[in-house]
Amino acid sequence: MKHLLKLMDLSTKEIQKTLNLGDQLKYEKKNGIKHHILEGKTLGMIFAKSSTRTRVSFEVGMYDLGGYALFLSSHDLQIGRGEPIEDTARVLSRFLDGIMIRTFDQSDVEKLAEYGSIPVINGLTDYCHPCQVLADLMTVRECKGTLSGKKLCFVGDGNNMANSLIVGGIKTGMKVSVACPSGYLPDADIMKWANENGEFECTEDIYQAAKDADVMYTDVWASMGQEGEAEIRKKAFDGYQINSSVMKAAKSDAMVLHCLPAHRGEEITADVFEAHAKEIFEEAENRLHAQKAVLVQCLGGK
Ligand code: CP
Ligand code: NVA
Protein backbone atom coordinates (compact mmCIF):
# COMPACT_ATOMS: atom_id res chain seq x y z
CA MET A 1 0.00 0.00 0.00
CA LYS A 2 1.57 3.25 -1.13
CA HIS A 3 -1.06 5.68 0.18
CA LEU A 4 -4.49 5.44 1.79
CA LEU A 5 -6.46 8.16 -0.01
CA LYS A 6 -9.80 6.31 -0.29
CA LEU A 7 -10.97 2.69 0.01
CA MET A 8 -11.84 2.58 -3.69
CA ASP A 9 -8.06 2.50 -4.35
CA LEU A 10 -7.59 -0.72 -2.34
CA SER A 11 -8.25 -4.21 -3.64
CA THR A 12 -10.27 -6.68 -1.56
CA LYS A 13 -7.00 -8.50 -0.86
CA GLU A 14 -5.34 -5.32 0.42
CA ILE A 15 -8.30 -4.62 2.72
CA GLN A 16 -8.23 -8.19 4.06
CA LYS A 17 -4.46 -8.04 4.58
CA THR A 18 -4.87 -4.81 6.54
CA LEU A 19 -7.61 -6.31 8.72
CA ASN A 20 -5.47 -9.41 9.39
CA LEU A 21 -2.49 -7.26 10.32
CA GLY A 22 -4.74 -5.11 12.54
CA ASP A 23 -5.93 -8.25 14.35
CA GLN A 24 -2.34 -9.39 14.82
CA LEU A 25 -1.16 -6.01 16.13
CA LYS A 26 -4.13 -5.88 18.52
CA TYR A 27 -3.36 -9.33 19.88
CA GLU A 28 0.33 -8.47 20.27
CA LYS A 29 -0.34 -5.17 22.02
CA LYS A 30 -2.71 -6.91 24.47
CA ASN A 31 0.05 -9.44 25.16
CA GLY A 32 2.80 -6.88 25.67
CA ILE A 33 4.65 -7.75 22.47
CA LYS A 34 6.30 -4.61 21.12
CA HIS A 35 7.22 -3.96 17.49
CA HIS A 36 9.32 -0.88 16.83
CA ILE A 37 8.89 -1.39 13.10
CA LEU A 38 8.83 2.35 12.39
CA GLU A 39 11.81 3.32 14.53
CA GLY A 40 13.20 6.67 13.42
CA LYS A 41 10.18 7.41 11.20
CA THR A 42 8.10 10.57 11.51
CA LEU A 43 4.44 11.16 10.66
CA GLY A 44 3.08 14.69 10.20
CA MET A 45 -0.61 14.92 11.13
CA ILE A 46 -2.36 17.87 9.46
CA PHE A 47 -5.74 18.73 10.98
CA ALA A 48 -8.11 21.28 9.42
CA LYS A 49 -10.98 19.90 11.55
CA SER A 50 -11.38 18.75 15.17
CA SER A 51 -10.55 15.21 16.27
CA THR A 52 -10.39 13.02 19.35
CA ARG A 53 -10.05 9.47 18.03
CA THR A 54 -8.05 10.08 14.86
CA ARG A 55 -5.50 12.34 16.50
CA VAL A 56 -4.92 10.21 19.58
CA SER A 57 -4.93 6.85 17.79
CA PHE A 58 -2.43 7.98 15.15
CA GLU A 59 -0.16 9.56 17.76
CA VAL A 60 -0.26 6.51 20.04
CA GLY A 61 0.06 4.22 17.01
CA MET A 62 3.28 5.89 15.90
CA TYR A 63 4.61 5.72 19.47
CA ASP A 64 3.74 2.01 19.69
CA LEU A 65 5.62 1.39 16.44
CA GLY A 66 8.71 3.24 17.65
CA GLY A 67 8.15 6.32 15.50
CA TYR A 68 7.19 9.92 16.17
CA ALA A 69 4.06 11.90 15.28
CA LEU A 70 3.79 15.68 14.91
CA PHE A 71 0.42 17.40 15.36
CA LEU A 72 0.09 20.14 12.75
CA SER A 73 -2.99 22.34 12.96
CA SER A 74 -3.74 23.75 9.53
CA HIS A 75 -4.58 27.05 11.26
CA ASP A 76 -0.95 27.34 12.37
CA LEU A 77 0.62 26.04 9.17
CA GLN A 78 1.13 28.41 6.25
CA ILE A 79 -1.62 26.41 4.44
CA GLY A 80 -3.98 28.40 6.64
CA ARG A 81 -2.61 31.60 5.06
CA GLY A 82 -2.92 30.31 1.52
CA GLU A 83 0.35 28.47 0.84
CA PRO A 84 -0.54 26.01 -1.95
CA ILE A 85 -0.98 22.36 -1.04
CA GLU A 86 1.40 21.51 -3.93
CA ASP A 87 4.24 23.44 -2.22
CA THR A 88 3.37 22.17 1.26
CA ALA A 89 3.55 18.61 -0.11
CA ARG A 90 7.03 19.11 -1.54
CA VAL A 91 8.36 20.81 1.61
CA LEU A 92 6.93 18.28 4.07
CA SER A 93 8.27 15.42 1.92
CA ARG A 94 11.80 16.71 2.69
CA PHE A 95 11.24 16.42 6.46
CA LEU A 96 8.80 13.59 7.11
CA ASP A 97 8.30 9.91 6.27
CA GLY A 98 4.51 10.15 5.98
CA ILE A 99 1.55 12.51 6.26
CA MET A 100 -1.90 11.96 7.75
CA ILE A 101 -4.36 14.66 6.77
CA ARG A 102 -7.90 15.53 7.92
CA THR A 103 -9.45 18.23 5.78
CA PHE A 104 -12.48 19.27 3.72
CA ASP A 105 -11.74 18.62 0.02
CA GLN A 106 -10.74 15.16 -1.14
CA SER A 107 -8.81 16.89 -3.95
CA ASP A 108 -6.40 18.37 -1.37
CA VAL A 109 -5.54 14.86 -0.14
CA GLU A 110 -5.05 13.63 -3.70
CA LYS A 111 -2.87 16.67 -4.52
CA LEU A 112 -0.74 16.11 -1.44
CA ALA A 113 -0.02 12.58 -2.67
CA GLU A 114 0.58 13.72 -6.25
CA TYR A 115 3.04 16.51 -5.43
CA GLY A 116 4.71 14.94 -2.40
CA SER A 117 7.05 11.96 -2.43
CA ILE A 118 5.93 10.30 0.83
CA PRO A 119 2.87 8.21 1.76
CA VAL A 120 -0.34 10.13 2.45
CA ILE A 121 -3.13 8.77 4.69
CA ASN A 122 -6.63 10.24 4.61
CA GLY A 123 -7.83 10.92 8.16
CA LEU A 124 -11.27 12.13 6.90
CA THR A 125 -12.51 14.44 4.19
CA ASP A 126 -16.03 15.54 3.27
CA TYR A 127 -15.96 12.67 0.76
CA CYS A 128 -14.73 9.71 2.79
CA HIS A 129 -13.26 8.30 6.00
CA PRO A 130 -11.27 5.18 5.04
CA CYS A 131 -9.42 4.71 8.37
CA GLN A 132 -12.70 4.62 10.26
CA VAL A 133 -14.19 2.01 7.95
CA LEU A 134 -11.13 -0.27 8.22
CA ALA A 135 -11.68 -0.22 12.01
CA ASP A 136 -15.41 -0.81 11.47
CA LEU A 137 -14.81 -3.85 9.24
CA MET A 138 -12.32 -5.18 11.79
CA THR A 139 -14.97 -4.83 14.52
CA VAL A 140 -17.71 -6.55 12.49
CA ARG A 141 -15.36 -9.42 11.67
CA GLU A 142 -14.42 -9.79 15.34
CA CYS A 143 -18.07 -9.85 16.37
CA LYS A 144 -19.60 -11.85 13.52
CA GLY A 145 -16.64 -14.00 12.48
CA THR A 146 -16.92 -13.02 8.82
CA LEU A 147 -17.90 -10.12 6.57
CA SER A 148 -18.98 -11.89 3.39
CA GLY A 149 -22.75 -12.30 3.22
CA LYS A 150 -23.48 -10.15 6.29
CA LYS A 151 -25.88 -7.23 5.86
CA LEU A 152 -24.73 -3.72 6.81
CA CYS A 153 -27.40 -1.02 7.09
CA PHE A 154 -26.43 2.65 7.28
CA VAL A 155 -29.07 5.12 8.47
CA GLY A 156 -28.94 8.90 8.06
CA ASP A 157 -26.84 11.31 6.05
CA GLY A 158 -25.26 10.06 2.81
CA ASN A 159 -21.97 11.56 3.97
CA ASN A 160 -18.28 10.61 4.15
CA MET A 161 -19.11 7.66 6.42
CA ALA A 162 -21.86 6.37 4.12
CA ASN A 163 -19.54 6.63 1.10
CA SER A 164 -16.70 4.68 2.75
CA LEU A 165 -19.01 2.09 4.31
CA ILE A 166 -20.59 1.35 0.94
CA VAL A 167 -17.18 0.85 -0.69
CA GLY A 168 -15.65 -1.12 2.20
CA GLY A 169 -18.77 -3.24 2.66
CA ILE A 170 -19.19 -4.14 -1.01
CA LYS A 171 -15.46 -4.83 -1.46
CA THR A 172 -15.55 -7.32 1.39
CA GLY A 173 -18.68 -9.11 0.14
CA MET A 174 -21.21 -7.58 2.52
CA LYS A 175 -24.75 -6.65 1.49
CA VAL A 176 -25.12 -2.92 2.00
CA SER A 177 -28.34 -0.95 2.46
CA VAL A 178 -28.61 2.77 3.06
CA ALA A 179 -31.63 4.68 4.38
CA CYS A 180 -31.34 8.38 3.56
CA PRO A 181 -33.85 11.16 2.91
CA SER A 182 -33.84 12.40 -0.69
CA GLY A 183 -31.45 15.30 -1.07
CA TYR A 184 -28.94 13.68 1.29
CA LEU A 185 -27.89 10.65 -0.73
CA PRO A 186 -24.37 9.16 -0.86
CA ASP A 187 -22.08 9.95 -3.79
CA ALA A 188 -23.80 9.03 -7.08
CA ASP A 189 -20.70 7.39 -8.62
CA ILE A 190 -20.17 5.26 -5.51
CA MET A 191 -23.80 4.09 -5.58
CA LYS A 192 -23.54 3.26 -9.28
CA TRP A 193 -20.35 1.28 -8.62
CA ALA A 194 -22.00 -0.51 -5.66
CA ASN A 195 -25.02 -1.50 -7.76
CA GLU A 196 -22.70 -2.94 -10.41
CA ASN A 197 -20.39 -4.74 -8.01
CA GLY A 198 -22.48 -6.18 -5.22
CA GLU A 199 -25.76 -6.27 -3.35
CA PHE A 200 -26.69 -2.66 -2.68
CA GLU A 201 -29.89 -0.82 -1.89
CA CYS A 202 -30.60 2.85 -1.22
CA THR A 203 -34.09 3.72 0.05
CA GLU A 204 -35.97 6.38 1.97
CA ASP A 205 -37.65 3.58 3.95
CA ILE A 206 -35.60 2.99 7.10
CA TYR A 207 -37.49 -0.22 7.99
CA GLN A 208 -36.86 -1.70 4.57
CA ALA A 209 -33.15 -0.85 4.82
CA ALA A 210 -32.90 -2.31 8.33
CA LYS A 211 -34.70 -5.55 7.45
CA ASP A 212 -32.61 -8.55 8.59
CA ALA A 213 -29.48 -6.43 9.02
CA ASP A 214 -26.52 -7.91 10.90
CA VAL A 215 -24.99 -4.47 11.50
CA MET A 216 -26.82 -1.19 12.06
CA TYR A 217 -24.70 1.95 11.59
CA THR A 218 -25.34 5.64 11.90
CA ASP A 219 -23.50 8.95 12.06
CA VAL A 220 -24.30 12.57 12.91
CA TRP A 221 -26.87 14.49 10.86
CA ALA A 222 -24.57 17.54 10.57
CA SER A 223 -20.92 16.78 9.90
CA MET A 224 -17.95 19.01 10.65
CA GLY A 225 -18.27 22.11 8.49
CA GLN A 226 -22.09 21.81 8.35
CA GLU A 227 -22.81 23.27 11.79
CA GLY A 228 -24.72 26.17 10.20
CA GLU A 229 -27.19 23.70 8.64
CA ALA A 230 -27.90 21.89 11.92
CA GLU A 231 -31.48 23.12 12.32
CA ILE A 232 -32.49 22.43 8.68
CA ARG A 233 -30.89 19.02 8.94
CA LYS A 234 -32.73 18.16 12.16
CA LYS A 235 -35.98 18.53 10.19
CA ALA A 236 -34.70 16.71 7.09
CA PHE A 237 -33.48 13.71 9.11
CA ASP A 238 -36.51 13.43 11.39
CA GLY A 239 -37.24 9.67 11.55
CA TYR A 240 -33.77 8.62 10.35
CA GLN A 241 -32.80 7.39 13.78
CA ILE A 242 -31.61 4.06 15.14
CA ASN A 243 -34.06 3.34 17.95
CA SER A 244 -35.62 0.25 19.52
CA SER A 245 -38.43 0.19 16.93
CA VAL A 246 -35.98 0.17 13.97
CA MET A 247 -33.82 -2.42 15.77
CA LYS A 248 -36.81 -4.81 15.67
CA ALA A 249 -36.56 -4.89 11.86
CA ALA A 250 -32.88 -5.95 12.05
CA LYS A 251 -31.75 -9.44 13.08
CA SER A 252 -32.26 -10.13 16.79
CA ASP A 253 -28.48 -10.38 17.29
CA ALA A 254 -27.67 -7.28 15.18
CA MET A 255 -24.77 -5.17 16.35
CA VAL A 256 -24.82 -1.37 16.35
CA LEU A 257 -21.85 0.75 15.33
CA HIS A 258 -21.25 4.51 15.37
CA CYS A 259 -18.04 6.23 14.29
CA LEU A 260 -18.53 8.82 17.09
CA PRO A 261 -18.98 11.50 18.25
CA ALA A 262 -22.68 10.63 18.76
CA HIS A 263 -25.69 12.86 19.32
CA ARG A 264 -28.09 10.92 21.51
CA GLY A 265 -31.70 11.71 20.71
CA GLU A 266 -30.82 12.59 17.11
CA GLU A 267 -29.32 9.83 14.93
CA ILE A 268 -29.46 7.27 17.78
CA THR A 269 -31.43 6.95 21.01
CA ALA A 270 -29.57 6.79 24.32
CA ASP A 271 -31.01 3.35 25.17
CA VAL A 272 -29.84 1.72 21.91
CA PHE A 273 -26.45 3.43 22.20
CA GLU A 274 -25.91 2.18 25.76
CA ALA A 275 -27.19 -1.32 24.95
CA HIS A 276 -24.49 -1.54 22.26
CA ALA A 277 -21.78 0.49 24.00
CA LYS A 278 -19.46 -2.53 24.15
CA GLU A 279 -19.36 -2.84 20.34
CA ILE A 280 -19.20 0.92 19.78
CA PHE A 281 -16.18 1.43 22.05
CA GLU A 282 -14.44 -1.69 20.72
CA GLU A 283 -14.90 -0.05 17.31
CA ALA A 284 -13.27 3.13 18.65
CA GLU A 285 -10.35 1.11 20.05
CA ASN A 286 -9.91 -0.66 16.73
CA ARG A 287 -9.03 2.68 15.12
CA LEU A 288 -5.64 2.26 16.79
CA HIS A 289 -5.00 -1.29 15.62
CA ALA A 290 -6.30 -0.86 12.06
CA GLN A 291 -4.31 2.34 11.58
CA LYS A 292 -1.13 0.75 12.88
CA ALA A 293 -1.65 -1.83 10.13
CA VAL A 294 -1.96 1.00 7.60
CA LEU A 295 1.12 2.82 9.00
CA VAL A 296 3.24 -0.34 8.85
CA GLN A 297 2.32 -0.92 5.21
CA CYS A 298 2.56 2.70 4.04
CA LEU A 299 5.66 3.80 5.91
CA GLY A 300 7.62 0.84 4.71
CA GLY A 301 8.18 -1.26 7.81
CA LYS A 302 8.64 -4.98 7.31
N1 CP B 1 -14.54 8.87 14.35
C1 CP B 1 -13.60 9.82 14.30
O1 CP B 1 -12.92 10.00 13.29
O2 CP B 1 -13.44 10.53 15.44
P1 CP B 1 -12.64 11.88 15.63
O3 CP B 1 -13.39 12.94 14.84
O4 CP B 1 -12.66 12.14 17.09
O5 CP B 1 -11.26 11.72 15.10
N1 NVA C 1 -19.52 12.61 9.30
C1 NVA C 1 -18.76 13.02 10.45
C2 NVA C 1 -17.79 11.95 10.85
C3 NVA C 1 -16.98 12.26 12.08
C4 NVA C 1 -15.99 11.18 12.39
C5 NVA C 1 -18.03 14.31 10.12
O1 NVA C 1 -17.48 14.42 9.02
O2 NVA C 1 -18.03 15.22 10.95
Side-chain angles (χ1 to χ4, degrees):
M1 195 188 298
K2 191 171 172 208
H3 303 286
L4 177 56
L5 308 181
K6 53 187 181 298
L7 287 182
M8 198 62 104
D9 299 338
L10 301 189
S11 66
T12 298
K13 250 193 171 158
E14 282 175 306
I15 294 176
Q16 278 160 351
K17 186 179 168 195
T18 305
L19 301 183
N20 292 343
L21 189 53
D23 285 347
Q24 186 188 337
L25 289 165
K26 181 173 184 175
Y27 172 84
E28 290 179 347
K29 182 167 168 106
K30 303 255 178 221
N31 287 281
I33 303 166
K34 293 193 172 79
H35 287 302
H36 286 177
I37 303 166
L38 299 184
E39 197 174 341
K41 304 259 182 181
T42 49
L43 178 77
M45 307 188 300
I46 303 174
F47 282 93
K49 293 175 175 171
S50 306
S51 172
T52 297
R53 282 144 287 269
T54 305
R55 177 180 174 178
V56 178
S57 56
F58 267 104
E59 197 161 329
V60 171
M62 280 303 285
Y63 176 81
D64 280 355
L65 294 167
Y68 185 74
L70 294 85
F71 173 73
L72 306 167
S73 162
S74 67
H75 304 292
D76 301 330
L77 294 173
Q78 294 286 9
I79 286 183
R81 296 181 55 247
E83 183 168 15
I85 201 94
E86 293 88 336
D87 297 355
T88 305
R90 284 174 283 189
V91 170
L92 293 181
S93 293
R94 305 272 176 146
F95 300 137
L96 299 165
D97 298 294
I99 300 174
M100 193 288 304
I101 178 166
R102 164 168 288 196
T103 191
F104 294 87
D105 289 340
Q106 179 70 16
S107 64
D108 283 347
V109 179
E110 308 267 347
K111 254 189 250 168
L112 204 52
E114 185 188 342
Y115 283 85
S117 55
I118 55 175
V120 174
I121 299 169
N122 184 341
L124 180 146
T125 59
D126 293 344
Y127 176 67
C128 66
H129 197 0
C131 291
Q132 178 68 54
V133 170
L134 289 171
D136 299 339
L137 294 172
M138 189 174 156
T139 313
V140 175
R141 216 172 64 157
E142 266 176 359
C143 222
K144 299 284 172 199
T146 180
L147 295 172
S148 185
K150 299 289 175 197
K151 179 174 172 180
L152 167 70
C153 168
F154 178 86
V155 172
D157 187 17
N159 60 12
N160 43 12
M161 281 311 311
N163 287 338
S164 285
L165 284 165
I166 294 169
V167 177
I170 295 291
K171 283 203 179 221
T172 54
M174 298 183 85
K175 300 172 201 161
V176 180
S177 64
V178 172
C180 299
S182 62
Y184 296 92
L185 301 182
D187 180 82
D189 290 337
I190 289 181
M191 289 204 288
K192 182 172 180 283
W193 171 88
N195 274 316
E196 289 165 0
N197 287 278
E199 271 190 67
F200 175 71
E201 179 187 26
C202 179
T203 170
E204 285 183 45
D205 183 342
I206 183 170
Y207 289 93
Q208 188 185 322
K211 193 172 183 304
D212 296 328
D214 297 283
V215 186
M216 295 295 294
Y217 201 117
T218 191
D219 182 20
V220 290
W221 292 339
S223 285
M224 290 182 276
Q226 297 171 337
E227 289 80 3
E229 297 172 29
E231 285 312 309
I232 300 170
R233 284 172 167 268
K234 262 186 203 168
K235 290 196 187 95
F237 289 103
D238 186 29
Y240 288 87
Q241 181 190 61
I242 298 188
N243 52 36
S244 52
S245 159
V246 172
M247 286 306 292
K248 288 199 183 98
K251 285 205 181 131
S252 57
D253 64 347
M255 60 192 292
V256 175
L257 295 178
H258 193 308
C259 56
L260 302 176
H263 290 71
R264 291 164 176 79
E266 292 187 15
E267 75 275 5
I268 191 164
T269 53
D271 60 326
V272 172
F273 184 94
E274 290 305 334
H276 293 272
K278 194 169 173 288
E279 295 136 35
I280 292 169
F281 291 104
E282 198 68 33
E283 173 191 16
E285 178 188 321
N286 284 341
R287 291 292 304 277
L288 171 67
H289 310 299
Q291 282 159 204
K292 281 166 74 177
V294 170
L295 286 167
V296 166
Q297 293 177 86
C298 286
L299 269 62
K302 291 197 189 71

